[in-house]
């Protein structure tokens, strides 16, 4: 039996098993640091594009700021990974819940961190170790250095200053930095992402493997650095996929966001990626977006109807 045949056989059995028993994911939402992150609009997109793979069963768990979060602790064990479309302050979760989530991840539970979820819990050391780098919510140099790519390597800068910035939502190019990782294996080495926020000047303890970066252009209020955009981390036995993309439905409609989210969720939950790269994946010069996803934004339909100029 050749290695290629053996690998194909293993992939077939993995895909067959997943088709028979979808991987259970918790999609956690219910709070944002401000009105600019509308989880009510983006959660349906995340659920749709994850479930359309046929690999996942996605259960949405919504916890409002005034709700009881204590019940979350017993739910984690029922899921292979938790997808965070959620940004809450430190005091929102009691210590017992934080400890339960930390134990879930160190014991092998996966995590997918989407965009502003890296703003959450600035004073929770274990969460910051999970995400590697984050922004806003009064993060400063006390949270850790700035992280960026320079001369082909992940680099840190301990200079004082606030964490988190971005310019206007315009298209930008992503560059793959680790072509061997399953999440980005087979993707172009560069591609154009649909108009979105390019997070820059993020701070934290580090520890991440950066899969892809984007240049934060000073002409668009940028840092002038190649900023981490797609990352993976380990926390105990747990696998974490962290994407800073996906500010809104428009950004999430970009084919690269959908593809890397789907592949990142599979890797976080199972340690493998069985999905192929779609034929309409963007190139280095051209964006590619899904009109069916873009149409999930109420503002998109208003624009089509001439109701929102």
């Amino acid at each position: 039996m050749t290695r290629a045949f053996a690998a194909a056989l293993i992939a077939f059995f993995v895909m067959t098993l997943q088709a028979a028993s979808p991987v259970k994911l918790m999609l956690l939402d219910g709070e944002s640091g401000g009105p600019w992150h509308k989880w009510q609009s983006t959660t349906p997109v995340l659920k749709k594009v994850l479930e359309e793979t046929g690999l996942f069963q996605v259960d949405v768990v919504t916890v409002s700021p005034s709700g009881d979060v204590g019940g979350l602790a017993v739910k984690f064990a029922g899921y292979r990974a938790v997808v965070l479309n959620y940004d809450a302050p430190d005091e929102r979760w009691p210590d017992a819940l934080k400890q339960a989530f930390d134990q879930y991840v160190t014991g092998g539970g996966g995590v997918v961190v989407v965009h502003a979820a890296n703003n959450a819990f600035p004073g929770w050391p274990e969460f910051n170790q999970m995400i590697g780098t984050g922004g806003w919510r009064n993060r400063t140099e006390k949270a850790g250095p700035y992280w960026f790519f320079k001369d082909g390597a992940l680099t840190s800068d301990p200079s004082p200053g606030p964490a988190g910035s971005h310019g206007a939502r315009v298209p930008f190019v992503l560059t793959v930095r680790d072509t061997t990782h399953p999440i980005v294996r087979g993707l172009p080495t560069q591609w154009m992402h649909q108009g979105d926020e390019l997070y820059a000047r993020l701070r934290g303890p580090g520890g991440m493997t950066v899969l892809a970066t984007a240049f934060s252009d000073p002409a668009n209020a940028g840092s002038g650095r190649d900023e981490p955009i797609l990352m993976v981390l380990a926390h105990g036995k747990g696998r974490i996929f962290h994407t800073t993309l996906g500010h809104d439905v428009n950004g999430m409609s970009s084919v690269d966001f959908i593809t890397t989210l789907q592949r990142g969720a599979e890797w976080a939950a199972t340690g493998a990626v069985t999905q192929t790269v779609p034929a309409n994946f963007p190139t280095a010069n051209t964006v590619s977006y899904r009109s069916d996803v873009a149409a999930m934004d109420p503002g998109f339909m208003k624009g089509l109807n001439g109701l929102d100029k």
Side-chain angles (χ1 to χ4, degrees):
M1 181 183 296
T2 66
R3 288 185 177 180
F5 179 76
L9 192 63
I10 291 171
F12 171 78
F13 282 121
V14 169
M15 293 176 69
T16 301
L17 178 62
Q18 289 173 333
S21 180
V23 174
K24 292 188 67 176
L25 304 179
M26 176 194 291
L27 175 48
L28 184 64
D29 71 8
E31 187 166 0
S32 172
W36 41 85
H37 291 124
K38 297 179 173 60
W39 55 264
Q40 299 91 337
S41 298
T42 55
T43 283
V45 172
L46 297 173
K47 179 176 172 64
K48 169 187 169 64
V49 300
L50 288 169
E51 289 191 332
E52 72 183 17
T53 65
L55 299 174
F56 308 113
Q57 173 191 324
V58 180
D59 296 336
V60 176
V61 176
T62 300
V63 180
S64 71
S66 59
D68 179 13
V69 298
L72 276 178
V74 298
K75 294 181 179 180
F76 294 138
Y79 296 92
R80 295 283 293 277
V82 176
V83 180
L84 296 174
N85 191 26
Y86 181 73
D87 168 18
D90 289 315
E91 63 272 15
R92 189 71 68 232
W93 283 21
D95 289 344
L97 179 56
K98 291 178 180 177
Q99 292 168 6
F101 188 68
D102 183 48
Q103 291 170 2
Y104 164 77
V105 180
T106 56
V111 182
V112 177
V113 181
V114 179
H115 193 62
N118 72 24
N119 299 180
F121 305 120
W124 179 7
E126 290 78 12
F127 182 77
N128 285 296
Q129 290 166 11
M130 293 179 206
I131 65 174
T133 188
W136 290 277
R137 286 199 180 274
N138 298 317
R139 280 182 172 87
T140 66
E141 60 275 10
K142 294 180 180 179
Y146 295 114
W147 293 95
F148 55 96
F149 243 69
K150 183 178 181 180
D151 299 327
L154 185 62
T155 304
S156 64
D157 175 5
S159 299
S165 68
H166 62 78
R169 297 195 293 275
V170 298
F172 51 85
V173 174
L174 272 75
T175 300
V176 173
R177 300 296 183 173
D178 183 349
T179 59
T180 65
H181 196 278
I183 295 174
V184 293
R185 187 183 299 146
L187 301 184
T189 55
Q190 288 191 316
W191 71 80
M192 183 74 73
H193 177 65
Q194 173 98 324
D196 203 346
E197 290 180 347
L198 197 169
Y199 272 11
R201 301 181 178 93
L202 301 183
R203 316 192 69 124
M208 57 277 190
T209 296
V210 178
L211 305 184
T213 63
F215 180 67
S216 179
D217 192 343
N220 187 27
S223 64
R225 291 169 167 173
D226 290 313
E227 298 286 349
I229 303 296
L230 305 179
M231 297 158 270
V232 292
L233 302 96
H235 188 67
K237 296 179 181 179
R239 291 176 294 270
I240 297 98
F241 170 62
H242 179 176
T243 174
T244 69
L245 304 175
H247 169 76
D248 56 10
V249 175
N250 181 68
M252 289 184 174
S253 72
S254 198
V255 170
D256 61 295
F257 172 82
I258 295 168
T259 301
T260 53
L261 175 77
Q262 292 168 334
R263 293 163 71 97
E266 184 181 7
W267 177 82
T270 71
V273 175
T274 61
Q275 301 168 72
T276 59
V277 181
N280 62 340
F281 197 86
T283 70
N285 302 307
T286 308
V287 300
S288 178
Y289 75 98
R290 293 246 314 253
S291 58
D292 63 314
V293 174
M296 295 176 71
D297 182 358
F300 178 87
M301 298 308 296
K302 286 182 180 180
L304 287 181
N305 295 325
L307 300 177
D308 187 15
K309 299 298 185 184

